Amino acid sequence: MKKSALLKLTSAPVLAAMLMLSACSNSSTPAAQPEASAAAPAAGTTAAEAPATVEITDIHGKVTVPVNPEKVVALDNRTFETLSDWGIKLAAAPKTVMPADSPYVADESVQNIGDHREPNLEILAAADPDLVIVGQRFSGYYEDIKKLVPNAAVVDFSFDVSEKSATPGENLVKGLEDSTVNLGKIFDKTAEADALIAKFDDSIAKAKAAYNGTDKVMSVIVSGGDIGFAAPHYGRVWGPMYEIFGWTPALEVAASSTDHQGDDISVEAIAQSNPDWIFVLDRDAAIASETEAVPAQDVIDKAPALKNTKAIKEGHTVYAPNDTYTNESIQTYIELFDNLAATLAE
């Protein structure tokens, strides 16, 4: 009881003294501030003063782009999966040439611009975008798009593996990494972009280490039941990998191309090269309906000319992910390279 009474008697003077000290502090010196954390804005800035734009470099030069733009149109098949994984909302996209399982295809709020042969660019203009991402199949429309949406930032992430300033392998790696870095800057996802690139680099290292340096490699594209030759260096999807991984080609021909169905080389010529490995891109798996598509594995396994090759007899065939033809994202290449590493190491 005595202790309680003492507290009651002393609390009022103490409280009065504290109030007086507080009043003096408020009137003469600023209150002590907590130490700034790493995440807090720098002195003299606020969250609202974060950069509203960022400067990136695409194949045409420097472009000023709004950070986290509200209305985005994406036309580059190399970017769809990255944008989707990062939760980026799109106003319009070319659904006709996108993987059927892309979330954007099922999202009715995303307008369909169609395909690159006859795109409905009026839909793009009506979307009144803040940003348009051009690339790959739509690179030829770059100037038209800039005229249609003069108030939008238009970036072009196209890259050509045959660009002479570097090898096809270097062009592929640099092109995928540069576009990932730029997307990270635009959408404030630099940490996510860095993580993707680290996985990509790791997948390259593992696939390179798994190859023995001597086995002969044949790469092909299967389309409409036909087998086309994906030439070293410039062949669609596979070509640049000969340089990236140091593969020994089973066959090289003059005047090879980047044709999307592969070069017209006879199956007999492919068989005569007797490859140790056959790497396959199934074009139909990405663009044809289930009733129209002829599975590439059936075509390869049932080709009489190939049945006596070392690759077929030893089960040395590797298939690119089914959506590769319409989804040449950095994620697709990570999946493909990881599969190569695992299979070649067996």
Side-chain angles (χ1 to χ4, degrees):
M1 289 296 291
K2 289 181 180 178
K3 184 176 181 180
S4 175
L6 180 61
L7 286 172
K8 287 180 180 179
L9 289 170
T10 58
S11 61
V14 170
L15 179 59
M18 289 176 64
L19 289 172
M20 289 175 67
L21 285 170
S22 175
C24 291
S25 174
N26 287 340
S27 62
S28 59
T29 60
Q33 297 298 315
E35 216 173 282
S37 68
T45 68
T46 67
E49 294 172 357
T53 62
V54 64
E55 185 177 79
I56 68 159
T57 302
D58 70 1
I59 66 167
H60 302 284
K62 295 188 182 298
V63 187
T64 300
V65 183
V67 175
N68 285 323
E70 291 185 10
K71 290 182 287 184
V72 180
V73 172
L75 304 172
D76 182 6
N77 288 73
R78 292 185 175 114
T79 64
F80 296 142
E81 187 167 358
T82 302
L83 295 172
S84 175
D85 286 352
W86 291 353
I88 306 303
K89 176 72 175 174
L90 296 185
K95 295 184 178 183
T96 309
V97 286
M98 294 173 69
D101 61 354
S102 169
Y104 296 127
V105 172
D107 187 344
E108 294 182 359
S109 70
V110 180
Q111 297 295 302
N112 184 11
I113 292 174
D115 65 27
H116 53 294
R117 292 183 179 86
E118 295 183 359
N120 189 340
L121 296 182
E122 292 181 2
I123 287 178
L124 186 154
D128 189 25
D130 302 303
L131 171 67
V132 180
I133 301 171
V134 181
Q136 206 176 7
R137 290 174 173 87
F138 285 83
S139 60
Y141 297 98
Y142 174 78
E143 293 297 341
D144 294 331
I145 291 169
K146 287 193 71 175
K147 292 175 184 176
L148 277 173
V149 286
N151 297 321
V154 180
V155 297
D156 187 352
F157 291 152
S158 303
F159 60 86
D160 184 357
V161 297
S162 62
E163 171 59 45
K164 300 303 182 184
S165 62
T167 68
E170 290 169 339
N171 286 330
L172 177 67
V173 171
K174 185 177 186 301
L176 289 170
E177 292 190 346
D178 284 354
S179 61
T180 302
V181 167
N182 283 327
L183 288 174
K185 291 178 180 178
I186 293 169
F187 295 102
D188 197 19
K189 299 284 186 181
T190 54
E192 291 85 347
D194 289 345
L196 261 180
I197 291 171
K199 286 182 66 176
F200 181 56
D201 290 342
D202 181 59
S203 71
I204 290 174
K206 288 187 297 185
K208 189 172 184 177
Y211 175 60
N212 64 15
T214 57
D215 280 357
K216 296 185 298 180
V217 172
M218 168 62 62
S219 51
V220 299
I221 300 171
V222 175
S223 178
D226 295 326
I227 301 173
F229 177 53
H233 312 301
Y234 303 115
R236 184 69 180 265
V237 175
W238 301 108
M241 295 182 204
Y242 285 82
E243 291 167 344
I244 295 172
F245 303 122
W247 291 342
T248 299
L251 177 66
E252 291 193 81
V253 298
S256 59
S257 74
T258 60
D259 189 270
H260 61 159
Q261 296 184 18
D263 291 323
D264 188 13
I265 303 297
S266 70
V267 178
E268 288 73 22
I270 293 173
Q272 286 172 10
S273 72
N274 195 27
D276 296 286
W277 292 89
I278 297 177
F279 299 149
V280 186
L281 171 65
D282 189 343
R283 181 173 178 268
D284 287 355
I287 62 172
S289 68
E290 291 184 6
T291 57
E292 297 172 340
V294 180
Q297 187 165 356
D298 289 352
V299 176
I300 297 294
D301 289 347
K302 294 177 181 178
L306 298 179
K307 67 180 181 180
N308 291 320
T309 61
K310 187 175 180 180
I312 296 300
K313 287 193 292 186
E314 296 187 2
H316 285 177
T317 55
V318 177
Y319 293 83
N322 280 344
D323 65 354
T324 299
Y325 185 71
T326 55
N327 179 20
E328 292 182 58
S329 64
I330 193 170
Q331 289 93 335
T332 297
Y333 280 95
I334 291 169
E335 180 183 351
L336 174 54
F337 293 168
D338 282 347
N339 188 22
L340 285 168
T343 308
L344 289 171
E346 289 178 355

